[in-house]
Amino acid sequence: MKPLISVKNLTIKKGKRSLLENVSFELVRGEAVSLIGPNGAGKTTLIRALIGTLKPTSGNIKRKRGLKIGYTPQKLQLEQLMPMPVDRFLSLSGENNREKRREMLVRCDAGNLHNARLADLSGGETQRVLLARALMRKPDLLILDEPTQGLDQPGEARFYALLNEVRSETQLAVFMVSHDLHIVMAQSDRVICLNTHICCSGAPETVSNDPSYQDLFGTRTGLALYQHSHTHSPECNHD
Amino acid sequence: MIDDFLLRALIAGIIIAVAAAPLGCLVVWRRMAYFGDATGHAALLGIALAMSFSMPLMLGVIVITTAMALTVTFATRHGTYAADTILGVFSHSALAIGLVAAAVLPGVRLNLMDTLLGNILTVSNSEILMMAAGAAGILLVIAFFWRPLLNATLSPELLVAEGGSILRDRLVFTLTLAFFVAISMKLVGILLITAMLILPAAAAAAISRSPERMVVFTAIIGIMSVTGGIWLSWQADIQAGPAIIVTASFLFVLLNLFRRK
């Protein structure tokens, strides 16, 4: 099967510092791939390169012809003075049918937000609206940057249920940055563990037994995984 | 009835107010007021150079403001300074260099007060035609690119992911802004061009529920400011440019007092 996107020896430098080094992988139709890695590992850089807002310093990224990407940013830099009802935001994706926009919102668990102001939404609500917009374009590849931030647990469960549903319907590929290793292990076909370079990748079980993964995230699931977020997040300074 | 020169000033002012509406909204939404300042201030250098080489003023202004806007766009994206600092540096340098150029270049004869603060009461019919053509161009280009312009404002990444181009967005925004500076400096002068862009838009934000409505309200508030300002200027014998902006500030305060919760 021809890959949707194929990344070869991708290196991106900012000044002299390497943000990404020699990263290679492919994404094919229908698979769910998770990107994990400590803060500063280059996850956002990789996503920007996939989307096309960052140019490779060396190496290349080949997209299948006519590839349609759906993307949900972590958050929108929305200026408070910009009045933007949710429905108008969705129509900016190019979908002109109001009924279809409404259906997609309902499907994404955000049917009641139709007339809300985008700037007034909570983090979780924003993520659901962003997902609706991304799906409305009927993408071949969905790129999600920490999509479940701000969702409560039932919301998160529904989010993944919906993703799986859409994936089995449309053979959509999902590429997702996540911090929640439990979810990653349960919801992905493949995991890529990034720390500037790709430390290891493969099926979830394979990756979790890989020594380089264990170096980064600890050896056991459960307790050890929770320690990870403390040792690797500079913003957590309470231990 | 109404004097010819007042009528001409009013028509010119309304043309500018309408052209300012979508651009002003974009400047406000993108938090780029300082960018407007830098572009506007560069106009003085454009005028001085055009006079010195006996070229059409508008041409000189468009060339220099476009160059300025593109330089600033590039510098803020790749520089080590904060965007705010870069814009301050460029904006004030441009103004100072323009003032120096106006003083030392041979063949430059301009009324500094009129250049800085505008003098719409002396606008001629041919100037009005030029303004109308420029405004029509600006409005057509912005209308054509409206959806990508909004998407780029919301998230450049989203724009690119959905197949848009940031470079095209920057060019459209920069060029329309440069043309706006060229056609509007006669109205409010280069010091107050940013004010003409952001004051009506900021006032309209208080009462608008969608981006398109905000553009319409901005145009209406702009027209009211121009009308009120020109009337004020005629009644009290003060310069029209500042009078227009004073009216716009008044409307801004008024609308914010009665803003919808």
Side-chain angles (χ1 to χ4, degrees):
Chain A
M1 190 161 31
K2 211 177 169 218
L4 295 175
I5 212 165
S6 103
V7 179
K8 245 195 205 132
N9 304 324
L10 173 69
T11 296
I12 293 186
K13 291 187 177 184
K14 188 181 183 184
K16 282 188 177 157
R17 204 163 77 92
S18 285
L19 301 179
L20 287 176
E21 219 164 74
N22 221 16
V23 170
S24 302
F25 66 93
E26 290 180 342
L27 296 172
V28 298
R29 187 158 277 288
E31 67 175 342
V33 178
S34 289
L35 181 66
I36 58 173
N39 286 346
K43 301 189 292 289
T44 303
T45 306
L46 179 55
I47 284 207
R48 290 204 172 136
L50 287 181
I51 291 168
T53 52
L54 270 183
K55 295 271 165 287
T57 311
S58 65
N60 62 62
I61 299 173
K62 283 209 180 81
R63 296 173 186 83
K64 204 183 118 201
R65 260 181 150 211
L67 176 75
K68 254 200 207 166
I69 296 179
Y71 165 66
T72 70
Q74 259 185 58
K75 55 176 173 248
L76 291 170
Q77 296 272 320
L78 191 67
E79 161 66 44
Q80 272 292 328
L81 287 178
M82 188 172 189
M84 183 61 80
V86 167
D87 185 56
R88 177 69 184 122
F89 175 70
L90 294 180
S91 71
L92 284 175
S93 71
E95 175 57 71
N96 293 322
N97 186 324
R98 195 183 163 89
E99 259 331 288
K100 282 191 180 157
R101 298 198 295 263
R102 189 135 217 178
E103 275 166 29
M104 187 54 85
L105 265 189
V106 170
R107 213 174 162 191
C108 292
D109 215 3
N112 56 328
L113 301 177
H114 199 65
N115 289 320
R117 272 172 57 113
L118 202 55
D120 294 340
L121 301 186
S122 73
E125 288 168 335
T126 306
Q127 279 304 328
R128 288 195 280 257
V129 169
L130 286 171
L131 180 68
R133 171 161 176 168
L135 287 177
M136 213 138 50
R137 302 184 71 243
K138 302 194 175 59
D140 313 296
L141 169 63
L142 194 57
I143 297 181
L144 308 171
D145 197 352
E146 298 193 36
T148 53
Q149 261 187 349
L151 289 181
D152 53 18
Q153 273 179 342
E156 195 172 323
R158 283 201 296 274
F159 188 91
Y160 286 107
L162 173 68
L163 270 191
N164 287 331
E165 200 183 299
V166 177
R167 206 148 63 84
S168 63
E169 268 170 33
T170 63
Q171 282 298 295
L172 159 94
V174 177
F175 186 75
M176 176 173 70
V177 174
S178 181
H179 273 308
D180 190 333
L181 296 176
H182 287 292
I183 297 278
V184 166
M185 293 305 168
Q187 300 286 342
S188 327
D189 304 323
R190 202 145 60 84
V191 176
I192 294 175
C193 177
L194 187 74
N195 193 9
T196 311
H197 61 285
I198 294 184
C199 308
C200 52
S201 71
E205 316 82 65
T206 324
V207 167
S208 52
N209 290 323
D210 194 289
S212 61
Y213 170 84
Q214 290 171 355
D215 277 352
L216 279 176
F217 295 107
T219 47
R220 282 177 303 165
T221 49
L223 203 68
L225 289 184
Y226 281 104
Q227 277 175 0
H228 132 74
S229 63
H230 289 239
T231 42
H232 286 291
S233 309
E235 68 266 26
C236 289
N237 45 20
H238 53 82
D239 62 353
Chain B
M1 284 293 289
I2 185 165
D3 286 305
D4 262 5
F5 72 95
L6 273 184
L7 192 63
R8 275 201 301 273
L10 202 59
I11 292 172
I14 289 172
I15 291 171
I16 302 301
V18 172
L23 262 179
C25 288
L26 286 169
V27 168
V28 165
W29 295 333
R30 294 177 178 209
R31 306 181 178 112
M32 288 178 89
Y34 237 148
F35 183 78
D37 254 353
T39 311
H41 289 175
L44 185 56
L45 180 61
I47 295 174
L49 286 174
M51 276 186 168
S52 187
F53 292 99
S54 7
M55 289 183 337
L57 288 195
M58 286 225 181
L59 184 69
V61 169
I62 286 174
V63 169
I64 297 295
T65 50
T66 304
M68 177 62 155
L70 290 177
T71 312
V72 170
T73 304
F74 186 78
T76 44
R77 278 177 86 188
H78 297 277
T80 44
Y81 293 97
D84 190 47
T85 310
I86 290 275
L87 285 169
V89 167
F90 275 92
S91 170
H92 298 120
S93 308
L95 188 61
I97 291 171
L99 287 169
V100 170
V104 300
L105 282 180
V108 179
R109 244 181 269 149
L110 50 77
N111 180 331
L112 209 51
M113 202 65 172
D114 286 356
T115 312
L116 294 178
L117 300 176
N119 189 2
I120 198 63
L121 296 181
T122 62
V123 73
S124 69
N125 283 332
S126 62
E127 280 174 319
I128 291 183
L129 274 180
M130 209 123 73
M131 286 175 176
I138 291 170
L139 291 174
L140 279 175
V141 169
I142 292 187
F144 188 76
F145 291 107
W146 186 238
R147 195 160 65 88
L149 281 168
L150 285 184
N151 279 328
T153 305
L154 286 163
S155 156
E157 277 84 22
L158 201 60
L159 173 83
V160 175
E162 294 185 354
S165 149
I166 292 192
L167 182 66
R168 197 183 60 192
D169 174 80
R170 295 291 182 266
L171 283 177
V172 168
F173 183 69
T174 314
L175 284 172
T176 46
L177 194 64
F179 270 83
F180 179 77
V181 169
I183 62 169
S184 66
M185 57 192 185
K186 181 101 188 175
L187 180 67
V188 286
I190 62 169
L191 281 185
L192 292 175
I193 280 177
T194 313
M196 190 63 209
L197 282 172
I198 65 170
L199 268 168
I207 52 167
S208 306
R209 294 211 159 199
S210 80
E212 291 74 20
R213 268 192 235 178
M214 181 160 151
V215 172
V216 173
F217 287 144
T218 302
I220 294 172
I221 293 167
I223 291 172
M224 287 165 70
S225 309
V226 165
T227 316
I230 290 176
W231 178 80
L232 202 67
S233 131
W234 184 57
Q235 288 292 316
D237 194 22
I238 48 173
Q239 212 139 9
I244 289 169
I245 303 306
V246 166
T247 315
S249 328
F250 173 74
L251 290 173
F252 172 82
V253 172
L254 202 68
L255 284 169
N256 270 288
L257 288 178
F258 295 104
R259 80 179 297 158
R260 274 193 236 168
K261 281 285 169 301

